[in-house]
Amino acid sequence: AKDYELRQYEAAKWVSTVIRGETQKEAMRQGFWKLFHYIQGKNEKEMKIDMTVPVTCLIKSGCTDFKVSFFVPFEHQDSPPQPTDSDVFIEERKAAAIFVRSFGGFASPEKYAEEAEVLARILRNRGQPFHEDFFYTAGYDSPFKLFNRHNEVWYFKK
């Protein structure tokens, strides 16, 4: 469809942290830095790991916990170094079919929520079953990139 796509993702490992009781913007900031320290060597092997995209954030309806995640690079998928920060963990996400809506610009929590609502409305109108109680935000660009930015919202297909 022109306003969204359906992607099939393979099972994969992500390094994640959960930030509780903060605003989404502050949770993203805190979560990013915890994960950034992990890839800079705050792990059992004291290994530097390449930064990957997207950076995702799990948004659950009516919940103030935000799970921020980095994709583990392909060369570390089999055995990612274990985090030494007790707030950081390796997560195995199952293979999934995901409805994706892309948009440009600088994404605020409000913009992500707005795009997620648009995607949810489209999916409901087309009779596409999806998990409505949560969605992921996905950011692909450094804060220093000013133009041609790429952001997404993801709903998991039922």
Side-chain angles (χ1 to χ4, degrees):
K2 67 176 178 21
D3 35 18
Y4 72 90
E5 58 185 297
L6 177 59
R7 292 187 196 148
Q8 185 63 44
Y9 280 97
E10 300 303 313
K13 292 187 178 82
W14 295 69
V15 59
S16 301
T17 188
V18 175
I19 307 295
R20 293 182 170 83
E22 295 288 352
T23 63
Q24 183 181 339
K25 189 171 186 165
E26 179 59 18
M28 282 295 294
R29 192 189 69 75
Q30 286 183 24
F32 177 89
W33 285 110
K34 281 183 178 291
L35 299 174
F36 188 76
H37 292 309
Y38 167 82
I39 66 171
Q40 287 296 299
K42 195 172 179 186
N43 56 64
E44 280 182 350
K45 296 180 182 164
E46 296 183 357
M47 178 190 290
K48 276 196 172 208
I49 298 167
D50 289 338
M51 176 81 204
T52 59
V53 292
V55 176
T56 65
C57 182
L58 173 62
I59 312 290
K60 291 189 222 161
S61 302
C63 182
T64 58
D65 293 357
F66 299 97
K67 183 169 66 178
V68 182
S69 307
F70 288 1
F71 180 77
V72 173
F74 291 109
E75 63 268 25
H76 299 293
Q77 280 286 318
D78 289 340
S79 64
Q82 287 304 305
T84 52
D85 179 340
S86 61
D87 291 339
V88 177
F89 57 95
I90 303 296
E91 166 191 16
E92 170 101 35
R93 292 192 193 164
K94 296 183 180 90
I98 300 177
F99 294 108
V100 178
R101 181 170 170 84
S102 300
F103 61 98
F106 280 89
S108 62
E110 296 75 21
K111 181 67 174 161
Y112 276 125
E114 185 183 303
E115 293 292 337
E117 188 45 52
V118 169
L119 178 55
R121 194 166 48 244
I122 292 166
L123 295 174
R124 282 186 211 108
N125 289 344
R126 300 203 179 139
Q128 292 283 7
F130 66 101
H131 293 277
E132 297 193 37
D133 53 332
F134 70 93
F135 67 91
Y136 279 90
T137 67
Y140 287 81
D141 301 303
S142 137
F144 306 109
K145 182 175 180 180
L146 301 181
F147 303 103
N148 300 317
R149 296 178 60 82
H150 184 81
N151 314 289
E152 296 174 347
V153 289
W154 298 353
Y155 273 112
F156 282 56
K157 185 175 177 162
K158 273 192 176 166

